[in-house]
Coordinates of all heavy atoms in Angstrom, one line a residue:
M1 N 0.8 -1.2 0.0 CA 0.0 0.0 0.0 C 0.9 1.2 0.0 O 2.0 1.3 0.6 CB -0.9 0.0 1.2 CG -1.9 -1.1 1.3 SD -3.3 -0.8 0.2 CE -4.3 0.2 1.3
A2 N 0.4 2.3 -0.6 CA 1.1 3.5 -0.7 C 0.1 4.6 -0.6 O -1.1 4.4 -0.9 CB 2.0 3.7 -1.9
I3 N 0.5 5.8 -0.2 CA -0.4 6.9 -0.1 C -0.3 7.8 -1.4 O 0.7 8.0 -1.9 CB -0.2 7.7 1.2 CG1 -1.4 8.6 1.5 CG2 1.1 8.5 1.1 CD1 -1.4 9.1 2.9
Y4 N -1.5 8.1 -1.9 CA -1.6 8.9 -3.1 C -2.4 10.1 -2.8 O -3.4 10.0 -2.1 CB -2.1 8.1 -4.2 CG -1.2 7.0 -4.6 CD1 -1.5 5.7 -4.1 CD2 -0.1 7.2 -5.4 CE1 -0.6 4.6 -4.5 CE2 0.7 6.1 -5.8 CZ 0.5 4.9 -5.3 OH 1.3 3.9 -5.6
A5 N -2.1 11.2 -3.5 CA -2.8 12.4 -3.3 C -3.7 12.7 -4.5 O -3.3 12.5 -5.6 CB -1.8 13.6 -3.1
F6 N -4.9 13.2 -4.2 CA -5.8 13.5 -5.2 C -6.4 14.9 -4.9 O -6.3 15.3 -3.7 CB -7.0 12.5 -5.3 CG -6.5 11.1 -5.6 CD1 -6.1 10.3 -4.7 CD2 -6.5 10.7 -7.0 CE1 -5.6 9.0 -5.0 CE2 -6.1 9.4 -7.3 CZ -5.6 8.6 -6.3
T7 N -7.1 15.5 -5.8 CA -7.7 16.8 -5.5 C -9.1 16.8 -6.1 O -9.3 16.4 -7.3 CB -6.9 18.0 -6.0 OG1 -7.5 19.1 -5.5 CG2 -6.7 18.0 -7.5
C8 N -10.0 17.2 -5.3 CA -11.4 17.4 -5.8 C -11.6 18.8 -6.2 O -11.2 19.7 -5.4 CB -12.4 17.0 -4.7 SG -14.1 17.4 -5.1
E9 N -12.3 19.1 -7.3 CA -12.4 20.4 -7.8 C -13.2 21.3 -6.7 O -13.0 22.5 -6.6 CB -13.2 20.5 -9.1 CG -12.4 19.7 -10.2 CD -12.2 20.5 -11.4 OE1 -13.0 21.4 -11.6 OE2 -11.3 20.3 -12.1
D10 N -14.1 20.6 -6.0 CA -14.9 21.4 -5.1 C -14.4 21.4 -3.7 O -14.5 22.4 -3.0 CB -16.3 20.8 -5.1 CG -17.1 21.1 -6.4 OD1 -16.8 22.1 -7.0 OD2 -17.8 20.2 -6.8
C11 N -13.8 20.2 -3.3 CA -13.5 20.1 -1.8 C -12.0 20.2 -1.6 O -11.6 20.3 -0.4 CB -14.0 18.7 -1.3 SG -15.7 18.4 -1.7
G12 N -11.2 20.2 -2.6 CA -9.8 20.4 -2.4 C -9.1 19.0 -2.2 O -9.6 18.0 -2.6
P13 N -7.8 19.0 -1.8 CA -7.0 17.8 -1.8 C -7.4 16.8 -0.7 O -7.9 17.2 0.3 CB -5.6 18.4 -1.6 CG -5.8 19.7 -0.9 CD -7.1 20.2 -1.3
F14 N -7.2 15.6 -1.0 CA -7.3 14.5 0.0 C -6.3 13.4 -0.4 O -5.7 13.4 -1.5 CB -8.7 14.0 0.1 CG -9.2 13.4 -1.2 CD1 -9.1 12.0 -1.4 CD2 -9.8 14.1 -2.2 CE1 -9.6 11.4 -2.6 CE2 -10.2 13.6 -3.4 CZ -10.1 12.2 -3.6
E15 N -6.1 12.5 0.5 CA -5.1 11.4 0.3 C -5.8 10.1 0.5 O -6.8 9.9 1.2 CB -4.0 11.6 1.3 CG -3.1 12.8 1.0 CD -2.0 13.0 2.0 OE1 -2.2 12.5 3.1 OE2 -1.1 13.7 1.7
L16 N -5.3 9.1 -0.3 CA -5.9 7.8 -0.2 C -4.8 6.7 -0.1 O -3.8 6.9 -0.8 CB -6.7 7.4 -1.5 CG -8.1 8.0 -1.7 CD1 -8.7 7.4 -3.0 CD2 -9.0 7.5 -0.5
W17 N -5.0 5.8 0.7 CA -4.1 4.6 0.8 C -4.7 3.6 -0.2 O -5.8 3.3 -0.2 CB -4.1 4.0 2.1 CG -3.2 4.7 3.1 CD1 -3.7 5.7 4.0 CD2 -1.8 4.6 3.3 NE1 -2.6 6.2 4.7 CE2 -1.5 5.5 4.3 CE3 -0.8 3.8 2.7 CZ2 -0.1 5.7 4.7 CZ3 0.5 4.0 3.1 CH2 0.8 4.9 4.2
R18 N -3.8 3.1 -1.1 CA -4.3 2.1 -2.1 C -3.1 1.3 -2.6 O -1.9 1.8 -2.5 CB -5.0 2.8 -3.2 CG -4.2 3.9 -3.8 CD -4.8 4.4 -5.1 NE -6.3 4.4 -5.2 CZ -7.0 4.8 -6.2 NH1 -6.3 5.2 -7.3 NH2 -8.3 4.8 -6.2
P19 N -3.4 0.1 -3.1 CA -2.3 -0.7 -3.6 C -1.6 0.1 -4.8 O -2.3 0.8 -5.5 CB -2.9 -2.0 -4.1 CG -4.3 -2.0 -3.4 CD -4.6 -0.6 -3.2
M20 N -0.3 -0.1 -4.9 CA 0.4 0.6 -6.0 C -0.1 0.2 -7.3 O -0.1 0.9 -8.3 CB 1.9 0.3 -5.9 CG 2.6 0.9 -4.7 SD 4.3 0.6 -4.6 CE 5.0 1.7 -5.8
T21 N -0.7 -1.0 -7.4 CA -1.2 -1.5 -8.7 C -2.4 -0.7 -9.1 O -2.9 -0.6 -10.3 CB -1.6 -3.0 -8.7 OG1 -2.4 -3.2 -7.5 CG2 -0.4 -3.8 -8.6
E22 N -3.0 0.0 -8.1 CA -4.2 0.9 -8.4 C -3.9 2.3 -8.4 O -4.8 3.2 -8.3 CB -5.3 0.6 -7.4 CG -5.9 -0.8 -7.6 CD -7.0 -1.1 -6.5 OE1 -7.5 -0.2 -6.0 OE2 -7.2 -2.3 -6.3
A23 N -2.6 2.7 -8.5 CA -2.2 4.1 -8.4 C -2.9 4.9 -9.4 O -3.2 6.1 -9.2 CB -0.7 4.2 -8.5
A24 N -3.0 4.4 -10.6 CA -3.6 5.2 -11.7 C -5.1 5.1 -11.8 O -5.7 5.8 -12.7 CB -2.9 4.8 -13.0
A25 N -5.7 4.3 -11.0 CA -7.2 4.2 -11.0 C -7.8 5.5 -10.6 O -7.3 6.2 -9.8 CB -7.6 3.1 -10.2
P26 N -9.0 5.8 -11.2 CA -9.6 7.1 -10.8 C -10.1 7.0 -9.3 O -10.4 5.9 -8.8 CB -10.9 7.2 -11.7 CG -10.8 6.0 -12.6 CD -9.7 5.1 -12.2
A27 N -10.1 8.1 -8.6 CA -10.5 8.1 -7.2 C -11.8 9.0 -7.1 O -12.0 9.9 -8.0 CB -9.4 8.7 -6.4
T28 N -12.6 8.7 -6.1 CA -13.7 9.5 -5.9 C -13.5 10.3 -4.6 O -12.9 9.8 -3.6 CB -15.0 8.7 -5.8 OG1 -14.8 7.7 -4.8 CG2 -15.3 8.1 -7.1
C29 N -14.0 11.5 -4.6 CA -13.9 12.4 -3.4 C -14.6 11.8 -2.3 O -15.8 11.4 -2.4 CB -14.4 13.8 -3.8 SG -14.5 14.8 -2.3
P30 N -14.0 11.6 -1.1 CA -14.7 11.1 0.1 C -15.8 12.0 0.6 O -16.7 11.6 1.4 CB -13.6 10.9 1.1 CG -12.5 11.8 0.7 CD -12.6 12.0 -0.8
T31 N -15.7 13.3 0.2 CA -16.7 14.2 0.7 C -17.9 14.3 -0.1 O -19.1 14.3 0.3 CB -16.0 15.6 0.8 OG1 -14.9 15.5 1.6 CG2 -17.0 16.6 1.5
C32 N -17.7 14.5 -1.5 CA -18.9 14.7 -2.3 C -19.1 13.6 -3.4 O -20.1 13.6 -4.1 CB -18.7 16.1 -3.0 SG -17.5 16.1 -4.3
G33 N -18.1 12.7 -3.5 CA -18.3 11.6 -4.4 C -17.9 11.9 -5.8 O -18.0 11.0 -6.7
A34 N -17.5 13.1 -6.1 CA -17.1 13.5 -7.5 C -15.8 12.8 -7.8 O -15.0 12.4 -6.9 CB -17.0 15.0 -7.6
S35 N -15.5 12.6 -9.1 CA -14.2 12.1 -9.5 C -13.1 13.1 -9.2 O -13.3 14.3 -9.4 CB -14.2 11.6 -10.9 OG -14.4 12.8 -11.8
A36 N -12.0 12.6 -8.8 CA -10.9 13.5 -8.4 C -9.7 13.2 -9.2 O -9.4 12.1 -9.6 CB -10.6 13.3 -6.9
R37 N -8.9 14.3 -9.4 CA -7.7 14.1 -10.2 C -6.5 13.7 -9.3 O -6.4 14.1 -8.1 CB -7.3 15.5 -10.8 CG -8.1 15.8 -12.0 CD -7.6 17.2 -12.6 NE -7.7 18.2 -11.5 CZ -7.0 19.3 -11.5 NH1 -6.0 19.5 -12.4 NH2 -7.1 20.2 -10.5
R38 N -5.7 12.9 -9.8 CA -4.4 12.5 -9.1 C -3.5 13.7 -9.1 O -3.3 14.4 -10.1 CB -3.8 11.3 -9.8 CG -2.4 11.0 -9.3 CD -2.4 9.8 -8.4 NE -1.1 9.6 -7.8 CZ -0.1 8.9 -8.4 NH1 -0.4 8.2 -9.5 NH2 1.1 8.7 -7.9
V39 N -2.9 14.0 -7.9 CA -1.9 15.0 -7.9 C -0.6 14.4 -7.5 O -0.6 13.4 -6.7 CB -2.2 16.2 -7.0 CG1 -3.4 17.0 -7.5 CG2 -2.5 15.7 -5.6
F40 N 0.5 14.8 -8.0 CA 1.8 14.3 -7.7 C 2.5 15.1 -6.7 O 3.0 16.2 -7.1 CB 2.6 14.1 -9.0 CG 1.9 13.1 -10.0 CD1 1.0 13.5 -10.9 CD2 2.3 11.8 -9.9 CE1 0.4 12.6 -11.7 CE2 1.7 10.9 -10.8 CZ 0.7 11.3 -11.7
T41 N 2.4 14.7 -5.5 CA 3.0 15.5 -4.4 C 3.5 14.5 -3.4 O 3.0 13.4 -3.2 CB 2.0 16.5 -3.9 OG1 2.6 17.3 -2.9 CG2 0.8 15.7 -3.2
P42 N 4.6 14.9 -2.7 CA 5.1 14.0 -1.7 C 4.0 13.7 -0.6 O 3.2 14.6 -0.3 CB 6.2 14.7 -1.0 CG 6.6 15.7 -2.1 CD 5.4 16.0 -2.8
P43 N 3.9 12.5 -0.1 CA 2.9 12.1 0.9 C 2.9 13.1 2.1 O 4.0 13.5 2.5 CB 3.2 10.7 1.4 CG 4.0 10.2 0.2 CD 4.8 11.3 -0.4
G44 N 1.7 13.5 2.5 CA 1.6 14.4 3.7 C 1.6 15.8 3.3 O 1.2 16.7 4.1
L45 N 1.9 16.2 2.1 CA 1.9 17.6 1.7 C 0.5 18.0 1.1 O 0.2 19.2 1.1 CB 3.0 17.9 0.6 CG 4.4 17.9 1.2 CD1 5.4 18.4 0.1 CD2 4.5 18.8 2.4
A46 N -0.2 17.0 0.6 CA -1.5 17.4 -0.1 C -2.4 18.2 0.9 O -3.0 19.1 0.5 CB -2.2 16.2 -0.6
L47 N -2.5 17.7 2.1 CA -3.4 18.3 3.0 C -2.9 19.7 3.4 O -3.7 20.5 4.0 CB -3.6 17.4 4.2 CG -4.2 16.1 3.9 CD1 -4.4 15.3 5.2 CD2 -5.6 16.3 3.2
L48 N -1.7 20.0 3.2 CA -1.2 21.3 3.5 C -1.5 22.3 2.3 O -1.4 23.5 2.5 CB 0.3 21.3 3.7 CG 0.8 20.6 5.0 CD1 2.3 20.6 5.0 CD2 0.2 21.3 6.2
A49 N -1.8 21.7 1.2 CA -1.9 22.6 0.0 C -3.1 23.5 0.1 O -3.0 24.6 -0.4 CB -2.0 21.7 -1.3
A50 N -4.2 23.1 0.7 CA -5.4 24.0 0.7 C -5.1 25.3 1.4 O -5.4 26.3 0.9 CB -6.5 23.2 1.2
P51 N -4.7 25.2 2.7 CA -4.4 26.5 3.3 C -3.3 27.3 2.6 O -3.4 28.6 2.6 CB -3.9 26.1 4.7 CG -3.8 24.6 4.7 CD -4.5 24.1 3.6
M52 N -2.3 26.7 2.1 CA -1.3 27.4 1.3 C -1.9 28.1 0.2 O -1.6 29.2 -0.1 CB -0.2 26.4 0.8 CG 0.9 26.3 1.8 SD 2.0 24.9 1.4 CE 2.3 25.2 -0.3
R53 N -2.8 27.4 -0.5 CA -3.4 28.0 -1.7 C -4.3 29.2 -1.3 O -4.3 30.2 -2.0 CB -4.3 27.0 -2.4 CG -4.6 27.4 -3.8 CD -5.3 26.3 -4.6 NE -6.4 25.7 -3.9 CZ -7.0 24.6 -4.2 NH1 -6.5 23.8 -5.1 NH2 -8.0 24.2 -3.5
R54 N -5.0 29.1 -0.2 CA -5.7 30.3 0.3 C -4.8 31.5 0.6 O -5.2 32.6 0.2 CB -6.5 29.9 1.5 CG -7.9 29.3 1.2 CD -8.8 29.3 2.4 NE -8.4 28.4 3.4 CZ -8.7 27.1 3.4 NH1 -9.4 26.6 2.4 NH2 -8.3 26.3 4.4
V55 N -3.7 31.2 1.2 CA -2.8 32.3 1.4 C -2.3 32.9 0.1 O -2.3 34.2 0.0 CB -1.6 31.8 2.3 CG1 -0.5 32.8 2.3 CG2 -2.0 31.4 3.7
L56 N -2.0 32.1 -0.8 CA -1.6 32.6 -2.1 C -2.7 33.4 -2.8 O -2.5 34.5 -3.4 CB -1.2 31.5 -3.1 CG 0.1 30.8 -2.6 CD1 0.4 29.6 -3.6 CD2 1.3 31.8 -2.7
D57 N -4.0 33.0 -2.6 CA -5.1 33.7 -3.2 C -5.2 35.1 -2.5 O -5.4 36.1 -3.2 CB -6.4 32.9 -2.9 CG -6.7 31.9 -4.0 OD1 -5.9 31.9 -5.0 OD2 -7.7 31.2 -3.9
E58 N -5.0 35.1 -1.2 CA -5.1 36.4 -0.5 C -4.0 37.3 -1.1 O -4.2 38.5 -1.3 CB -4.9 36.2 1.0 CG -6.1 35.5 1.7 CD -7.4 36.4 1.5 OE1 -7.3 37.6 1.7 OE2 -8.4 35.8 1.1
E59 N -2.8 36.8 -1.3 CA -1.7 37.6 -1.8 C -2.0 38.1 -3.2 O -1.8 39.3 -3.5 CB -0.4 36.8 -1.8 CG 0.1 36.6 -0.3 CD 1.4 35.9 -0.3 OE1 1.8 35.4 -1.4 OE2 2.0 35.7 0.7
N60 N -2.6 37.2 -4.0 CA -2.9 37.7 -5.3 C -4.0 38.7 -5.3 O -3.9 39.7 -6.0 CB -3.5 36.5 -6.1 CG -2.4 35.5 -6.5 OD1 -1.2 35.9 -6.5 ND2 -2.7 34.3 -6.8
K61 N -5.0 38.6 -4.4 CA -6.1 39.5 -4.4 C -5.5 40.9 -4.0 O -5.8 41.9 -4.6 CB -7.1 39.0 -3.4 CG -8.5 39.7 -3.6 CD -9.5 38.9 -2.9 CE -9.3 38.8 -1.4 NZ -10.3 38.0 -0.7
S62 N -4.7 40.9 -2.9 CA -4.2 42.2 -2.5 C -3.3 42.8 -3.5 O -3.1 44.1 -3.6 CB -3.5 42.1 -1.1 OG -2.6 41.1 -1.1
A63 N -2.6 42.0 -4.3 CA -1.8 42.5 -5.4 C -2.6 43.2 -6.5 O -2.2 44.2 -7.1 CB -0.9 41.4 -6.0
H64 N -3.8 42.7 -6.7 CA -4.6 43.2 -7.8 C -5.5 44.3 -7.4 O -6.0 45.1 -8.2 CB -5.5 42.1 -8.4 CG -4.7 41.0 -9.1 ND1 -3.7 41.4 -10.0 CD2 -4.7 39.7 -9.0 CE1 -3.2 40.3 -10.5 NE2 -3.7 39.3 -9.9
E65 N -5.9 44.4 -6.1 CA -6.8 45.4 -5.6 C -6.0 46.5 -4.9 O -5.1 46.2 -4.1 CB -7.8 44.8 -4.7 CG -8.8 43.9 -5.4 CD -9.8 43.4 -4.5 OE1 -9.9 43.8 -3.3 OE2 -10.6 42.5 -5.0
P66 N -6.3 47.7 -5.2 CA -5.6 48.8 -4.5 C -5.9 48.9 -3.1 O -6.9 48.5 -2.6 CB -6.1 50.1 -5.3 CG -7.4 49.7 -5.9 CD -7.3 48.2 -6.1
E67 N -4.9 49.4 -2.3 CA -5.1 49.5 -0.9 C -6.3 50.5 -0.5 O -7.0 50.2 0.4 CB -3.8 50.0 -0.2 CG -2.7 49.0 -0.2 CD -2.9 48.1 1.0 OE1 -3.4 48.6 2.1 OE2 -2.5 46.9 0.9
V68 N -6.4 51.5 -1.3 CA -7.4 52.5 -1.0 C -8.7 52.1 -1.6 O -8.9 52.0 -2.8 CB -6.9 53.9 -1.5 CG1 -8.0 55.0 -1.2 CG2 -5.6 54.3 -0.9
V69 N -9.7 51.9 -0.7 CA -11.0 51.6 -1.2 C -12.0 52.6 -0.7 O -12.1 52.9 0.5 CB -11.5 50.2 -0.7 CG1 -12.9 49.9 -1.1 CG2 -10.5 49.1 -1.1
T70 N -12.5 53.4 -1.7 CA -13.3 54.5 -1.3 C -14.8 54.1 -0.9 O -15.4 54.8 -0.1 CB -13.4 55.5 -2.4 OG1 -13.9 54.8 -3.6 CG2 -12.0 56.1 -2.7
Q71 N -15.2 53.0 -1.4 CA -16.6 52.6 -1.0 C -16.7 51.1 -1.1 O -16.0 50.4 -1.8 CB -17.6 53.2 -1.9 CG -17.5 52.8 -3.4 CD -18.6 53.4 -4.3 OE1 -19.2 54.4 -3.8 NE2 -18.7 52.9 -5.4
R72 N -17.6 50.5 -0.2 CA -17.7 49.1 -0.2 C -18.6 48.7 -1.4 O -19.5 49.4 -1.8 CB -18.5 48.7 1.1 CG -17.6 48.7 2.2 CD -18.2 47.9 3.4 NE -17.2 47.4 4.3 CZ -16.6 46.3 4.2 NH1 -16.8 45.5 3.1 NH2 -15.7 45.9 5.0
R73 N -18.2 47.6 -2.0 CA -18.9 47.1 -3.2 C -19.6 45.8 -3.0 O -19.8 45.0 -3.9 CB -17.9 47.0 -4.4 CG -17.5 48.3 -5.0 CD -16.4 48.2 -6.0 NE -15.2 47.7 -5.4 CZ -14.1 47.4 -6.1 NH1 -14.1 47.4 -7.3 NH2 -13.0 47.0 -5.4
G74 N -19.9 45.5 -1.7 CA -20.6 44.3 -1.4 C -19.6 43.1 -1.4 O -18.4 43.3 -1.3
R75 N -20.1 41.9 -1.5 CA -19.3 40.7 -1.4 C -18.4 40.6 -2.7 O -18.9 40.9 -3.8 CB -20.1 39.5 -1.3 CG -21.0 39.5 0.0 CD -21.5 38.1 0.3 NE -22.1 37.5 -0.9 CZ -22.1 36.2 -1.1 NH1 -21.5 35.4 -0.3 NH2 -22.7 35.7 -2.2
P76 N -17.2 40.2 -2.5 CA -16.3 40.0 -3.6 C -16.9 38.8 -4.4 O -17.5 37.9 -3.9 CB -15.0 39.7 -3.0 CG -15.2 39.2 -1.6 CD -16.5 40.0 -1.2
L77 N -16.6 38.8 -5.7 CA -17.0 37.7 -6.6 C -16.2 36.4 -6.1 O -15.1 36.5 -5.7 CB -16.7 38.0 -8.0 CG -17.6 39.1 -8.6 CD1 -17.1 39.5 -10.0 CD2 -19.0 38.7 -8.7
P78 N -16.9 35.3 -6.3 CA -16.1 34.0 -6.0 C -14.9 34.0 -6.8 O -14.9 34.3 -8.0 CB -17.1 32.9 -6.4 CG -18.4 33.6 -6.5 CD -18.2 35.1 -6.8
H79 N -13.8 33.4 -6.2 CA -12.5 33.4 -6.9 C -12.5 32.1 -7.8 O -12.2 31.1 -7.3 CB -11.4 33.3 -5.8 CG -10.2 34.0 -6.3 ND1 -10.2 35.3 -6.6 CD2 -8.9 33.6 -6.4 CE1 -8.9 35.7 -6.9 NE2 -8.2 34.6 -6.8
R80 N -13.0 32.3 -9.0 CA -13.1 31.1 -9.8 C -11.8 30.7 -10.6 O -11.6 29.6 -10.9 CB -14.2 31.3 -10.9 CG -15.6 30.7 -10.5 CD -15.4 29.7 -9.4 NE -16.5 28.7 -9.3 CZ -16.4 27.7 -8.5 NH1 -15.4 27.4 -7.9 NH2 -17.5 26.8 -8.5
H81 N -11.1 31.7 -10.9 CA -9.9 31.5 -11.7 C -8.7 31.1 -10.8 O -8.0 32.0 -10.3 CB -9.6 32.7 -12.6 CG -8.3 32.5 -13.5 ND1 -8.3 31.6 -14.5 CD2 -7.1 33.0 -13.4 CE1 -7.1 31.6 -15.1 NE2 -6.4 32.5 -14.4
E82 N -8.5 29.8 -10.7 CA -7.4 29.4 -9.8 C -6.3 28.7 -10.7 O -6.6 27.7 -11.3 CB -7.8 28.4 -8.8 CG -8.5 29.0 -7.6 CD -8.8 28.0 -6.5 OE1 -7.9 27.2 -6.3 OE2 -9.8 28.1 -5.9
P83 N -5.2 29.3 -10.8 CA -4.1 28.6 -11.5 C -3.7 27.3 -10.8 O -3.8 27.2 -9.6 CB -2.9 29.6 -11.5 CG -3.2 30.4 -10.3 CD -4.7 30.5 -10.1
S84 N -3.4 26.2 -11.5 CA -3.0 25.0 -10.9 C -1.7 25.2 -10.2 O -0.8 25.9 -10.7 CB -2.8 23.9 -12.0 OG -4.1 23.6 -12.6
P85 N -1.6 24.6 -9.0 CA -0.3 24.6 -8.3 C 0.7 23.8 -9.1 O 0.3 23.0 -9.9 CB -0.6 23.9 -7.0 CG -1.9 23.2 -7.2 CD -2.7 23.9 -8.2
P86 N 2.0 24.2 -8.9 CA 3.0 23.6 -9.8 C 3.1 22.1 -9.7 O 3.6 21.4 -10.6 CB 4.3 24.2 -9.3 CG 3.9 24.8 -8.0 CD 2.5 25.1 -8.0
W87 N 2.6 21.5 -8.6 CA 2.7 20.0 -8.5 C 1.5 19.3 -9.2 O 1.5 18.1 -9.1 CB 2.8 19.6 -7.0 CG 1.7 20.1 -6.2 CD1 0.5 19.6 -6.0 CD2 1.7 21.3 -5.4 NE1 -0.2 20.3 -5.2 CE2 0.5 21.4 -4.8 CE3 2.7 22.3 -5.1 CZ2 0.1 22.4 -3.9 CZ3 2.3 23.3 -4.3 CH2 1.1 23.4 -3.7
V88 N 0.6 20.0 -9.8 CA -0.5 19.3 -10.5 C -0.1 19.2 -11.9 O 0.2 20.2 -12.6 CB -1.8 20.1 -10.3 CG1 -2.9 19.5 -11.2 CG2 -2.2 20.2 -8.9
L89 N -0.1 18.0 -12.4 CA 0.2 17.8 -13.9 C -1.1 17.9 -14.6 O -2.0 17.0 -14.4 CB 0.9 16.5 -14.1 CG 2.3 16.4 -13.4 CD1 2.9 15.0 -13.8 CD2 3.2 17.5 -13.8
S90 N -1.3 18.8 -15.5 CA -2.5 18.8 -16.3 C -2.4 17.9 -17.5 O -1.3 17.9 -18.1 CB -2.9 20.2 -16.7 OG -1.8 20.9 -17.2
H91 N -3.4 17.3 -17.9 CA -3.4 16.4 -19.0 C -4.2 16.9 -20.1 O -5.3 17.4 -19.9 CB -3.9 15.0 -18.6 CG -3.0 14.3 -17.6 ND1 -1.8 13.8 -17.9 CD2 -3.1 14.2 -16.3 CE1 -1.2 13.3 -16.8 NE2 -2.0 13.5 -15.8
Ligands
LIG101 ZN1 -15.4 16.7 -3.4

């Protein structure tokens, strides 16, 4: 058995123990049941990726928005455009 990291588009990363012979098999998200992509990351790091990504998002947002805000514009739009982290191989 080995641990493999996957990521769900909605719920974020998770890890699964599975036989190495099933490493390439599709995984389903334990939270929502959607199919999840395999991510290639050292074991134990996948669960750290979500908070790290949020921090990066915050940094990106403050880089794009000026410090001076003259009026509130309500809730910010959902952050839909997320670049893949470098350890995700896109196919
Ligand atoms: Zn999910």
